[in-house]
Amino acid sequence: MKLICIGRNYTEHIKELENEKPTDPVVFLKPDTAILLKRQPFFIPDFSDDVHHEVEVLVKINRVGKHIDKKFAHKYYEEIGLGIDFTARDLQAQLKAKGLPWEKAKAFDGAAVIGQWISKKEVTDVNQIEFSLKKNDEIVQKGNTSHMLWKIDELIEYVSKYFTLKIGDIIFTGTPAGVGRVVANDKLSGYIGNKELFSITIK
């Protein structure tokens, strides 16, 4: 399985990082080794002093597809989740300045938190999902999928032009504003509505 990540999909997040608004979705990949194992803490890697949390709504692909039309995209997932795309922001800035790929800053071991999955039937509308991240019991990120530049079905259509989607693939759909640095002993918990889908500690 592969982790397909979307960058710059919320306007306010683009503004906070002073990035240029893209004309197409920004896509990058994480290997399966980036998945943080269940019930394990996240260890800040020794190559970064500025790791940021980025909470994101996740979509789990449930059938094989290529060149999927947007109007059929809803058939390719039944489950919605929540996760974190951890980013070594200092390393990412160095790589971007040199025009180099981001993978070292985005795809390192443990850099992808995948929480509990829920049926998409539990949400009234996948384009109106309220989600949030708490750090030490204080809300630091809050988003709604209605604010995405590209909605879930549009992302599936776009991504499937380039990559065959396979059963178990996961799409990270982008983060809202409020990303920030984590430090040892922080506790992060993610919610869709009032339902907690993950809780991790930082070491």
Side-chain angles (χ1 to χ4, degrees):
M1 53 88 77
K2 54 188 174 290
L3 308 179
I4 301 164
C5 303
I6 307 300
R8 304 180 190 175
N9 202 23
Y10 287 83
T11 302
E12 294 305 311
H13 175 58
I14 293 169
K15 289 179 181 176
E16 75 178 344
L17 294 187
E18 299 180 350
N19 286 325
E20 185 178 329
K21 187 175 179 179
T23 54
D24 292 300
V26 175
V27 180
F28 60 96
L29 301 179
K30 294 189 186 225
D32 57 5
T33 49
I35 297 172
L36 184 66
L37 298 177
K38 298 293 184 188
R39 294 180 290 279
Q40 292 295 311
F42 171 78
F43 289 92
I44 297 171
D46 58 10
F47 52 77
S48 177
D49 294 317
D50 193 23
V51 173
H52 283 205
H53 57 73
E54 299 187 8
V55 70
E56 312 199 7
V57 170
L58 313 183
V59 177
K60 186 194 287 184
I61 300 300
N62 67 352
R63 61 173 72 184
V64 176
K66 175 75 172 171
H67 294 296
I68 301 164
D69 191 289
K70 182 176 71 173
K71 66 176 176 284
F72 299 121
H74 67 279
K75 297 182 177 182
Y76 287 80
Y77 62 101
E78 292 296 333
E79 293 179 294
I80 298 291
L82 200 67
I84 296 177
D85 164 23
F86 278 119
T87 304
R89 192 71 71 202
D90 46 0
L91 180 55
Q92 185 190 35
Q94 295 169 24
L95 294 167
K96 285 168 66 176
K98 297 176 182 177
L100 296 173
W102 300 349
E103 275 73 11
K104 287 191 289 186
K106 286 277 195 180
F108 55 88
D109 289 355
V113 174
I114 297 172
Q116 176 187 341
W117 295 98
I118 62 173
S119 168
K120 68 179 179 184
K121 294 174 183 173
E122 289 190 41
V123 298
T124 307
D125 181 356
V126 297
N127 295 320
Q128 294 282 345
I129 298 173
E130 290 270 1
F131 62 101
S132 59
L133 180 74
K134 289 183 180 179
K135 180 166 71 172
N136 306 324
D137 294 323
E138 178 183 343
I139 293 176
V140 288
Q141 283 190 271
K142 194 169 185 178
N144 189 302
T145 54
S146 64
H147 298 148
M148 287 179 171
L149 297 179
W150 291 276
K151 304 297 190 288
I152 289 172
D153 290 355
E154 294 171 315
L155 292 175
I156 289 173
E157 179 181 58
Y158 184 81
V159 166
S160 69
K161 292 179 185 177
Y162 301 94
F163 311 111
T164 297
L165 295 178
K166 302 180 82 170
I167 295 169
D169 286 352
I170 296 171
I171 300 176
F172 281 63
T173 61
T175 195
V179 303
R181 184 171 180 253
V182 296
V183 297
N185 300 314
D186 278 346
K187 181 181 177 183
L188 303 179
S189 50
Y191 299 81
I192 284 183
N194 295 319
K195 187 179 180 72
E196 183 181 285
L197 296 187
F198 67 78
S199 180
I200 65 165
T201 55
I202 308 298
K203 297 288 188 182

